[in-house]
Amino acid sequence: MLCTALLCACATVPRKPAPPVLFANVAPSGFPQTVRFLGLDRGFMLAHAGETLSRLREAAHGETLNILALSGGGAGGAFGSGALVGLTRRGDRPQFQIVTGVSVGALIAPFAFLGPEWDQAMVEALGPDRTARLLQSRGLGVLFRPGAYRSEPLVELVDHLVSRRLIEAVATEAARGKVLFVATTDLDKQEAVIWDMGAIAAHGGEAARVLFRDVLVASASVPGLFPPVLIRVDGPDGESFDEMHVDGGTATPFFVASEIAQILSADFEVLPGAEVLHGARVYVLVNGELGGRPQTTRERPVVVITRSFSAGLMHSSRRALELSAVFARQHQMDFHFSYVPLNYPFAGPFNFKAPVMQTLFDYGLRCAEAGQLWMTFEQAVEQGEKAARSVLKQSNDCPLAQAAP
């Protein structure tokens, strides 16, 4: 078996080189360059932000703009998907004109973008019965390909949810001006890449479906756990390259309009249509915790990796929330967010056991349905300070209920 594995590894076709410059003039094969941009490409943003803002003004129909950002968090995605269903059942789920997603948030994002009519499809596509089979060890294969777990279960899960019907529906909503962005991390450039999933869907055909799927798989492929995704890109002279993409959470835990505005700096305010963001309502669903419970960490590889991943995600999420809250305040935006409270018995981002996932989904649903999902930044800070000064006791209280004095 070992000899066979070695022969297979030797027979593997090597990847093509990555584009040689940071702001490369390349695009996925068969697609225009405008289907994605590098997160720090100020020139691209200046050239295209006005068009995006014009689309959003059309989508809002003169009403307040609603923005939803969905974070990474692995198994914590059950919280976010449950919350969306709960908001639907409560009857006060906003119609989101901008939806962004990272990692597991990227898998939820198309359904959030399409609205309550797609709740059942989301539950079926991302339910515990499907996600329970995600982590399948590669065995000896880990010696020859990056990733402790097989990529096939993740690819199969995403391939199932990215149906032709979903692609056509995303294209229809994008044509009405709505925006669906997903982030991956380009390992070659070590930078975030923002993909316009509506533009990809509008391309149509199987090529659009495959690229849409590959971007979602890449955004959810945690480095070290799942193999990276290679995306073929072409240059203007016909030369081809391979880009290596992984979990978007490697570069950013979630993102809203603030990232674009911060890079554009003073130019943002003078862009045609920028006023559409003033007074907007921003909602951030953090699919995990923003603090950790002190505990003795066992000296085992999986435990150390899990705790390290959780710590990195937790701290980057807190920083991103701070920046987003400041941006919202500057532009008179209504900023609310939600996350899994410290007192909830959260089993971590890599526990995909069906009962654990179902319980977390039901928790998110119950909190949203009860109107106890969203909180302000100030309420969250107060809750965190209280928790830090006491021994935490497990509780199933909702985020807003735990933030109450």
Side-chain angles (χ1 to χ4, degrees), residues 8 24 31 44 74 77 118 141 151 163 186 189 194 241 256 267 330 353 358-359 371:
C8 291
F31 289 82
F44 182 96
W118 284 76
S151 61
S163 63
D186 185 332
K189 297 182 177 69
I194 310 301
F241 305 92
V256 291
D267 298 314
Q330 289 173 343
K353 294 179 180 178
Q358 187 63 57
T359 300

Side-chain angles (χ1 to χ4, degrees), residues 95-137:
Q95 181 180 7
F96 299 109
Q97 287 77 35
I98 303 177
V99 176
T100 71
V102 175
S103 195
V104 69
L107 305 187
I108 300 171
F111 301 106
F113 179 76
L114 294 175
E117 299 79 9
W118 284 76
D119 281 358
Q120 187 57 38
M122 175 181 65
V123 171
E124 292 175 357
L126 300 174
D129 291 339
R130 288 189 172 275
T131 55
R133 300 189 296 270
L134 274 179
L135 302 184
Q136 296 183 17
S137 173

Side-chain angles (χ1 to χ4, degrees), residues 390-403:
S390 61
V391 176
L392 293 175
K393 297 180 180 179
Q394 288 191 359
S395 169
N396 285 316
D397 288 344
C398 296
L400 186 57
Q402 292 197 25

